[in-house]
Amino acid sequence: MSARIVPVNAETIARAAARLQSGELVAFPTETVYGLGADAGNADAVRRIFAAKGRPADHPVIVHLAEPADVARWARAVPETARRLAAAFWPGPLTIILPRAAHVSDAVTGGQDSVGLRVPSHPVARALLAAFGGGIAAPSANRFGRISPTTARHVADDLGAGVALILDGGACDVGIESTIVACIGDDPVLLRPGGIGIASLARVLGRAPRTAGAEAPRASGTLASHYAPKTPAMLVAPDALHAEIRQLASHDERLAVLARTVARPRETIERWVQAPAEAPAYAHDLYANLRALDAAAADVILIEAVPAGPAWLAVNDRLARATRGEDDDRD
Ligand code: TXA
Ligand code: MG
């Protein structure tokens, strides 16, 4: 399996671009998470993404572009709000949903009349986009419903033979997915909190974007347990964590714990991970930490709740999804 993970150099970038041109899938690093890329102009290639991920075919995928100017080829209208957001945050961890251009396939849009566009800042993503010369459709490179990958190894562990080539760009800087803002009309709507904070959006837009209601375009990242580990996970307030551990340990439950401010107690714990205190570092490590905790084969993962403020919005969104029950749609 590891043979398909390749280091990044001029030869492997050219090889990856050639694979995309011939309709194959390539996994590549972005500043947020690793993406599973296909030629966005080739509907058959895009359909291979859904097969590799085990993802329903009616879910839209983001088209990654080399330059902000390329938006004109993929969207038929670009409202002023979208122009401002693009100017402020591209290249970077922001996805903008716009009315799709006529040629954009249903495989990309999930049959919707809109398309999600993003100009990533990661140098490897940019090099691949430049070498390929078109749009690259890419969801996160994980099995549908599982934890997003932030290293090449995560991609290989998840997708195995499902991907021809994995460009190894090391660990992703941001660590959680892009912020998604729909700019269909005059009123921008936040569909998914992510790498760009709400305060930064508000500064550029002059007000905070509306948050998604039932009528908003569907984003599969908003399905109930889209980021779930296999082990049941629960959030616990910091001041209740020791008591919860004591209680569960006394019932011989095998525990894995993602702590932040709380110190490790004396009870036997299969896996104790001490997460960084600040939100950006916490987000950077979050998915790798969840994978490590999941691998401990514990009965339950306890996650110390994090602060509620705007700086923690995207992290709280992902933690809430990771701790939803199995009754939710998780695949
Ligand atoms: O950071 C990211 O956004 C990563 C990297 C690889 O760019 N990509 C990513 O893709 O997270 P994915 O497919 O795992 O999540 C993208 C989300 C999905 O929830 C999808 O439904 C939504 O974007 N999306 C894409 N196009 C859309 C559209 N036209 N309307 C509404 N939601 C859309
Ligand atoms: Mg995803």
Side-chain angles (χ1 to χ4, degrees), residues 38-178:
D39 177 356
N42 176 342
D44 287 334
V46 174
R47 279 190 276 270
R48 277 186 201 114
I49 294 176
F50 295 92
K53 275 184 66 93
R55 185 186 195 181
D58 63 343
H59 286 223
V61 290
I62 296 170
V63 178
H64 297 70
L65 304 174
E67 302 296 337
D70 297 343
V71 164
R73 291 193 40 238
W74 296 87
R76 66 173 184 273
V78 185
E80 176 56 25
T81 50
R83 286 181 204 284
R84 289 218 299 274
L85 290 172
F89 302 117
W90 280 354
L94 176 72
T95 296
I96 306 179
I97 310 293
L98 291 165
R100 70 160 153 184
H103 71 88
V104 184
S105 74
D106 284 343
V108 167
T109 67
Q112 304 186 69
D113 192 34
S114 58
V115 61
L117 302 174
R118 173 159 116 78
V119 178
S121 62
H122 195 291
V124 175
R126 292 182 65 78
L128 181 62
L129 283 159
F132 174 61
I136 300 179
S140 52
N142 52 287
R143 294 285 299 172
F144 181 61
R146 314 276 358 141
I147 301 162
S148 292
T150 54
T151 68
R153 169 53 49 197
H154 294 165
V155 179
D157 288 348
D158 248 34
L159 297 179
V163 54
L165 196 67
I166 305 169
L167 290 170
D168 188 353
C172 301
D173 274 354
V174 178
I176 55 175
E177 300 84 349
S178 61

